Structures are given as C-alpha cells and as structure tokens.
C-alpha cells in the first residue's frame, strides 16, 4: 500500500567477483570473520532465512530452498549473471559505495554496471591515512599529505567515513587534538609501522576526524555497539560547523542515534543495516528508529558487503518493514496516506539526495 | 474497551500566553531550542503528525490538515480560546506544573482555569537555588537560605524536581557532599556568578539533591538520555529515608527506569512524555515500560511545555496506547478485564493521587 | 501451530519445601527481597498476573482468581502435592539447578522427583569459594583447595555459574590477575572474614572466573542490568580457549547479549527469565533476542526460584511467545514452517543438549 520509490543506498560495499562455495558464502552471512560455533550454521540466522526467502526466486528457484541447492544454481548461472540478476532486483537506483574494504570486490563503476544504477564513492578515512603513511617519509610530509588527501577525497567523493573513531573514545573528544600532540602521535605511529599497518591511535584518529569535519563533505561515522555517550559530545562540538554527520550502524543503540538526530540539526542516522540483520523482526527496529527522529533525518542504507544477496535482503526487508510500519499507522488512522507516502520517499531516497547533493 | 478515568498529569508546564506564528509553533514542536535542519521541518515528526491528527478537530477542522491552515484557525480563535478548547479536551483533571521554565507561560492557577481542572506547583530546585543566590550576600547566608527555601518549597509545593543533577554524575553520588566541600563550591560559584547565573556545579547540585531528599516531598529526577548506572547508586543510597523518587523522561532508558522501580520500593517512573514524542509508535514504548515495573509504580505525565497541543497529544496518545496494550492483553486472555481496568486507573491517576497525597 | 518439544530448563533453582502464607508468596513474586511500596503489591506485576492466569487451573480453580483463594487452595493440597502438580505441568523434562541459593529449597534429586524429570547440578562459584574459605586455614591452602574444588565441580556438575563477577568490572578484566595480586587479595579477604562471609573482592572473583574458564565446563555468567561493555572484553579474551560462556539474565541488555552471541562462537545467551518477568509482553522481548543471535546460540531457561509457579509461568510464557513470534513469521511468509519448527526445538531443548552434553 505504501509505494516506495527507487532507493538510494547511502552505504554499502561492492560484491565479490569470485565464485563462492557453501562455506565462503556462509562466512559472509555471519559477517564476523569467524567460524560458526560447533553444531551451528550462519544460515540459521535472520539474515540466512531472509536470503533463503527472497533470493532463490530471483534465480528461478522456490523460496526457502536448501542452501546447497541455491549455491548450486548460483554457480550454474555464474557469479556475474547471478550478481546482475540479484542487484537489478533490489530497486536500488543509486549506490554509495565504501571502497575501503579489502577483498576482491567490484569497483564503483562495476557495481553501477552490474546493478544498472548510479554509483558514487565513499572514502574511508583510516585507509586513506594508511595509504598516505605508506608513501610519506617524514612526520611533516605525512601530516601535509594527509590534509591534502582528505581535502582531495572531499572534492571527488560523495562522502567520507570513519570506522574506527568511535572504538577509541579519545578520538571523538569535543576538541581537535593540539598540533604537538598530533605530531608526537604521528611520529610514534610512523616509527613503529610497517607498510600496510593499521591506524588505531586515538590522537591520530581524532585528528583525521577533525580534518574531515573541516573538509565539508558529509561524514559517516560507524557507531558500533558501544556506549553512545561520547558521540553526544562530538555531535555537540561539531554543531554549526557546516558538516553533516551521518551515524551508521547504531544498533542496538539505534534509539540513541535517532535521538541525536532529533537534537542536532547536522546529525542524521541510517536505517537499514540493522533491519537486514533482523530479518523477520525488522518492523520493530524500524518503528523504534521512527520514534524520535525527525523523518527528514533518516537515510536508507543496506550496509551490505560482498554478497549481492545482502543488497537484495537489505532492500526487500526495508521496503517490507516500511510498508508494515507506515501502512499500519495509516490503517490505524494515526497518519494520513499522503504523509506516509511522502515520508517513505524521504527515507528511501529524498533525504539522501538532499544531504549528498545527488541529482533527483 | 479500557475506560480510562480522568488523568492526573504529574509533570507538565504552563502554556504560552502569546499568539504564535508558524515558525514559533514549529520550534516548540521540535523541543530542542534549535532550528530544524535545512530542507526539513519539525512538523515531520511523530509529535507533529500527532498534533495534526488530534488537534484540528478540536478547533473545528479536519484531522491532518496542513499546518498553516491550523495555525490560521488558531489565531482566528485567539490564544486564550484555543488554549481553553484544547486543554479542556485532554481529559486531565489535575495538573502538576513545574514552574521553573522561563518564557511567558501560564501560572499554576491560570493553567487550572484554562483547563477547568485542579493544578499544583512543582518547584524546580536549580531555579530555587539560583534565586536564593541572587539575594544572598555571603556563603553562610546562601547555604542557610537555601536550606530554608527548599524546606519552604516542600511545605507549599506538591513535589520538588531536579533537571540538572543527572547531567553531572558526581551530584548523584551515594553520599551527600561534606560541609567543607559544599562551602568551598558555594564560595567559588557565588564569586564567579552574576545575577541569573545558572547552577551547574556538581557539588552544589548534589548538596541540593540531598537537602531535597531530607525535605520529604516526592522528588522528581529528570533522567535524560545518559547512562542510568549512577541513578542506581543514588536510588540505593536513598532507600528507606522516607522520600519517594520519581524518575522522569527516562527514554531511551525507560526499561532501566522501570526496572529500578521494580527493585526499590521508593522509586517510581513516569509514563507519557516518551509516548507523546513517539506518537504512532507509542504502544511499543508503553508495553516496554510495563514489562518489569510493578503497576503501582508508574505515573502518567504529559511532560508538555508551551503548547496546549502537547497536553492534548500527551493525553490522547497515552489513552490510546493504554487501550491498545492493555486491551490487547485482555483480548489475548493474558489479563482479565477487571485487572486491566484497575491497572489503567492506577497509572492514569490513582498512583499519582497516592504518591502526592492528592484528593481523589 | 509451532509444536514445542519438552523443554530443557538450563537455569533454575529448587522450590520451597515449606507451606507459604500470602505475604511470603508475594515476596517471592517480587524477587527483590524487599517489601512492596506502601499501597502496592507484587501481585500487580506481569509475573503476578501470569501466575494468576496459568496456575489456578492446574490446582482446579478458574484463571485470574484472587490471590487469597489461590493460596488457600494451595495450602489445602499441601506444598508437596501442589508442587508436583505445578512442576509436572511445565513440559520441562530436564532441569539444570543452581544449588547455590540459601533457603529451604528442594535438592537436585528432589526437584527431579517432584517434576518427574531429569535434573543436573549447576555449581555456583562464589558459594564454592566461600565454602572453601570456611575450611582453609592459610592462603596457600585456600588457593590450592579452591583450584581443586572448581575442577572437582567441573567434573561432577553440568555447568558452573558466577553471579557476582559482572558486578565488579575489574573481575572480568581481559587477563587473569597475577599470582601475587591473587595471594594479596586472598590474604586480606581471609583475614577480615568470619565463617560464611561473602566473596565480593574483584581480584578473587576474577581469579575464580579464570579458574572456571580453565576447567572447561560451560560457564554461566549472570549479566545483570549493568553496562555490557566489560563483558565484550571478557568474551574476546576467552575466545578460542574451549570453554563456552552462557550469558544469563541480560535484560534490559538482552540485545547486547544476543549480539555477543552472534560475534563470538563460544558465547551463548539465555531466553526465558526476562520473558517470565515480562508476562503478557514477552513476545516483544523474545523477538528482540531473535534479532541478531544465531538460532543455535539461544537456550531456554526459566530462571525461577522458590515457587513452582515460577517454573510454570517461565515455561508457559516461553512457549506462548515462541508460538506467537515464530508462528507469526510463518503466517507472514517470512519463514517456512519447517524452519520455524526446527528453530523452536533448538531453543527449547536442542541447543542446551548440545552445549551441556545432555542425552537427547
């Protein structure tokens, strides 16, 4: 009854270019990098059940068919063809792609081509800093190149993203770290580092975040499952600076993320990745996100990585939850249909078009 | 099917005395003091949609009519007449009014008259302390006058409330600050302070809270969105002292507040302000609050400030959620009807009458 | 529509051997040890209402009958006969019984006999340590006896449990405390202690936990209502050591517990005690637990203590919530019936049989 327009997926990754066996496919369903517990399988999860519900029909099989049968059909079609069929069935017309993940994933233009859609790049700040470190000989060169690289990314990319900042409370301190502190941290990091070494120093992460705030592009912050309190301080500190913050993956603190979006004009929150993992129970999580957030502050994302099946379930579960929740409110008389339709369009695509400056 | 009696609103504010334009009205819907984000409006929130659902019919318009039309009709009727119509349609027969907000708001007797209801004052501790500071020349005079003022307020008011204590963990320490510490903090605050300066010092806030606990009136504590852990310690420390604590505005930690109400005989929790902001989704939040809290420990409040429309939606959403949740349990056979009816009456009014000693 | 098999209750206590008056019965419903607030009763809780719904028919009365009438009937039948009737109506075929509670409770074999079921012992680590301290004259003897006692318990019991560790963050530090630190803490504790003195020292609790991890039996950790973050560190630190952790009583952080179960192969979470206290609202809490946890990582428990009525409501509410939630997903087409049936069996019994090595 609620007619969702084509979606803007404001945060996802590319899909794997290689054929997948059952075990690799299952590992990507788990999403943790680790194995399932003995006697269990990641197919026995909400995501696993959702994949079995939505994807087999797109490859010509019955819903809920056994995983082995699905994987056999997928290999029969080939990774390219099955990827195309799946992505083109998502209803996503624009992908914003975080290219900062390792692995043999489709590039931004390849993702666009496979999905017959538009696609734009999101630059991951930590990877950018690590790449700059790989090619900078001195602390001075590193810091100058870093600032240049972040501003360059802000010119070319649709958004910047930080995945690590919130793991280290100190890096979301309400003030940028001082220049001496940054130089010291950079020196220690570069000294101890071999090529490819990861950035986890809180001072440097904080510095990186504040450079990104200054660069003006929307800044996507991965919230994770930790205490959301430090985020409040950072949101307060960056209010009025002209850069939007988009909180990603707030579950199980999605109500906090939505609350922050209601308090700070420059703070937005995603809707979708938590739904995709919640499967049959997604309507409840969506309804919770819609409790306090202004409807202009929520943006759909699939959050999917690696498997085009995850893009499918991200989009399908989102649409179905939206229909269930908003449609239910219309049926109860709480909302009028026109409002429900309008809000669906805002969360599905309109808010993202406005925040990221995408063509309608 | 569940017949809610007239309500006791155990925490609200007066309504604005002045005519409102669209922008001012919208700002009060947002409730944050700040502007909406570019391209968004606070009308696109659950509260905005609830106002548009419930209030236009009370002024002779169709539900969900456009905001501009509603505001035009409101001005046509005048602020006094529209306020009367709205407040008298709430079903609230007793208002407990926190008079500590700035702005041109109706007084306690004016609110009573506009709503054809009873009304009693809640005294805000921080404002009281600031007023005492404005007129006390020395630390000794300040501390003596403060104690006298709090005890005087406890004699005349129906409840005391603290809005700031929980923002500063130290002020809800499980023991009162020592006399020397309090004198030192008072001296520093009074020295640096100009008339009207706000009280944010944790030691003085803690001192104020413990004076209030000693004064014996129910003490309403604004919980806010922070970590509820410090509250647990304060609840444990004040158990058995004879003063009830009423936790206000616990969302998104309303389950914690309800849990504390289940653990400590002297701890109560409000129901309502979170519902009013949650609108169409309120039944889920109410059901969560009813998970662990004994039914004798929950008290309705609208939490509304400034707009009589907020009193309307606070009351309507509460009644509708109560009907949906309790009525649903009766229909499932989980509760019997008599119990549901009795619990509805307790939360709507009975518990508040008992805790605050109001006439039935 | 979902056919739940006989249940394995993976965490409960025995039932009281003595006849109960109304007041004592009510106190056990509250579960806090304290009295209800003036003017309120613990019968006015979800658990109280659930007992009145499910238990009177098992003793030949109508559902929702007044508490006094139920208690009179219970005394008429006698504590033994009413206990038998109640326990045998639970559908629980295996009880895992934490024997570490004080009070005149049935032993493991008595519980088995009353319920015509299997029963196995869970050993409570804190009590074990206190018993060892009662009989050890020196620090050296205490530490040697403690290690021996924990390993002995691991040989004879089905699981070990810690109720206190999480109350003291330091005791779930990601590394075992050093030998000198442990000796110092043991010396201070034994010096200051009289027979029966409780163990609350974080260093000794941490030591105890790490001995238990080394012992290899599943380790049940009471999560309580505190910040779940320290648990994440402990889960990370114990990954790959070969001992499973089962998180108990995570509400209101049950989503965090479920999330940890999704991230760490060796972490499991209970389902049930929160449902029993949530009564009519249990389906929502169950659905939340099923959002992120792999279905192979959730284990039913009643968590009940003292009253066989609590075993009844724990089991009935769990089955009803499972039917409502899983059955609803089948009716929506989100899950197929065979999967729902299979998952119900896993959570009800199969996962516990696998984790604890119980005969099928």
């Amino acid at each position: 009854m609620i007619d969702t327009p084509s979606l803007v997926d404001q945060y996802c990754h590319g899909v794997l270019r290689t054929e997948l066996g059952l075990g690799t496919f299952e590992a990507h369903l788990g999403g943790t990098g680790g194995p399932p517990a003995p006697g269990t399988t990641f197919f026995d999860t909400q995501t696993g059940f959702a994949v079995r519900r939505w994807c087999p029909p797109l490859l010509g099989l019955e819903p809920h068919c056994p995983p082995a049968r699905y994987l056999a059909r997928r290999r029969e079609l080939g990774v390219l063809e099955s990827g195309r069929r799946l992505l083109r069935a998502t209803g996503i017309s624009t992908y914003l792609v975080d290219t900062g993940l390792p692995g043999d994933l489709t590039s931004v233009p390849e993702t666009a081509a496979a999905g017959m859609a538009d696609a734009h790049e999101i630059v991951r700040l930590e990877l950018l800093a690590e790449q700059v470190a790989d090619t900078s000989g001195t602390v001075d060169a590193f810091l100058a190149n870093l600032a240049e690289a972040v501003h360059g990314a802000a010119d070319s990319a649709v958004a910047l993203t930080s995945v690590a900042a919130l793991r280290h409370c100190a890096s979301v301190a309400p003030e940028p770290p001082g220049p001496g502190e940054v130089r010291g941290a950079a020196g220690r990091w570069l000294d101890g580092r071999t090529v490819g070494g990861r950035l986890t120093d809180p001072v440097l992460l904080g510095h990186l975040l504040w450079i990104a705030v200054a660069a003006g592009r929307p800044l996507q912050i991965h919230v994770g499952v930790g205490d959301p309190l430090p985020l409040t301080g950072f949101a307060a500190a960056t209010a009025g600076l002209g850069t939007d913050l988009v909180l990603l993956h707030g579950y199980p603190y999605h109500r906090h993320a939505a609350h922050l979006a209601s308090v700070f004009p420059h703070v937005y929150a995603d809707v979708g990745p938590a739904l995709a993992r919640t499967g049959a129970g997604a309507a409840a999580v969506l309804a919770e996100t819609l409790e306090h957030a202004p409807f202009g502050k929520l943006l759909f994302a699939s959050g999917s990585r690696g498997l085009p099946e995850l893009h499918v379930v991200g989009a399908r579960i989102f649409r179905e939850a939206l229909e269930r929740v908003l449609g239910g409110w219309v049926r109860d008389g709480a909302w009028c249909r026109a409002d429900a339709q309008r809000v669906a369009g805002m969360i599905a695509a309109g808010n993202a078009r406005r925040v990221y400056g995408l063509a309608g």
Side-chain angles (χ1 to χ4, degrees), chain A:
Chain A
M1 298 169 78
I2 304 296
D3 187 34
T4 320
S6 65
L7 305 172
V8 175
D9 184 346
Q10 70 122 21
Y11 185 85
C12 65
H13 303 276
V15 300
L16 287 158
R17 286 201 191 88
T18 46
E19 300 289 348
L20 300 177
L22 194 60
T24 317
F25 189 91
E26 186 194 348
H28 277 88
L29 282 184
T32 63
T40 75
T41 157
F42 289 136
F43 281 104
D44 283 346
T45 56
Q46 292 285 7
T47 305
F49 280 23
V51 165
R52 285 178 47 228
R53 174 194 192 181
W54 296 112
C55 298
L58 300 175
L59 306 190
L61 302 170
E62 71 283 14
H64 305 296
C65 78
R69 184 162 167 188
Y70 178 77
L71 266 292
R73 174 64 179 155
R74 198 184 194 273
R75 282 191 301 272
E76 190 181 294
L77 287 168
V79 68
L80 263 174
E81 175 58 16
S82 56
R84 270 189 223 112
R85 289 198 190 189
L86 292 162
L87 289 181
R88 291 174 190 188
T90 58
I92 297 169
S93 59
T94 305
Y95 294 93
L96 309 194
V97 183
D98 174 1
T99 53
L101 270 187
D104 188 20
L105 300 170
T106 52
S107 68
V108 175
E110 285 169 338
T111 306
M116 282 217 303
D118 290 332
H120 305 277
E121 184 176 17
I122 300 166
V123 169
R124 189 182 282 223
L125 291 166
E126 289 83 3
L127 182 66
L128 192 68
E130 288 151 15
Q131 290 168 337
V132 169
D134 286 348
T135 58
S136 299
T138 65
V139 168
D140 282 335
F142 168 69
L143 292 175
N145 293 345
L146 183 63
E148 193 179 339
V150 171
H151 283 85
D155 286 342
S156 65
V158 76
L160 306 175
T161 191
S162 169
V163 295
L166 262 186
R167 274 183 231 147
H168 305 273
C169 288
S171 59
V172 288
E175 293 201 4
E181 207 183 350
V182 170
R183 287 185 57 84
R188 282 188 300 277
W189 185 49
L190 295 175
D191 271 1
R193 184 175 185 276
T194 52
V195 167
R198 308 299 296 269
L199 174 59
T200 58
D201 178 85
V203 170
L204 288 183
L205 285 169
H207 174 63
L208 189 56
L209 215 55
W210 281 96
I211 301 180
V213 167
R217 273 272 106 201
L219 174 57
Q220 300 177 333
I221 299 181
H222 288 246
V223 173
V225 298
D227 179 348
L229 214 60
L231 201 54
T232 308
F234 187 72
T238 54
L241 299 181
T243 295
D244 290 328
L245 305 182
V246 184
L247 309 181
L248 298 184
H249 304 359
Y251 181 96
Y253 287 111
H254 49 291
R255 280 170 157 163
H256 285 82
H259 177 78
L260 289 177
S262 82
V263 171
F264 297 104
H266 70 308
V267 173
Y268 296 78
D270 74 357
V271 173
L275 306 187
R277 291 203 55 196
T278 303
V285 174
L286 175 63
E288 289 175 359
T289 308
L290 288 169
E291 282 166 1
H292 276 206
F295 309 131
K297 307 298 280 303
L298 299 174
L299 295 81
F300 167 71
S302 72
S304 49
R305 55 165 75 180
L307 304 181
E309 282 82 359
L310 299 177
H311 296 76
V312 170
V313 301
R316 293 288 171 112
I317 290 170
F318 168 70
R319 279 172 190 267
E320 196 178 70
L322 210 55
E323 156 62 29
R324 183 176 298 249
V325 172
L326 271 51
W329 292 339
V330 172
R331 287 186 285 279
D332 291 344
W335 286 24
C336 67
R337 174 162 309 279
D339 280 336
Q341 192 60 62
R342 191 167 56 83
V343 169
M346 287 162 62
I347 302 174
N351 293 336
R353 292 196 192 287
R354 188 181 69 249
V355 169
Y356 297 107
L358 307 172

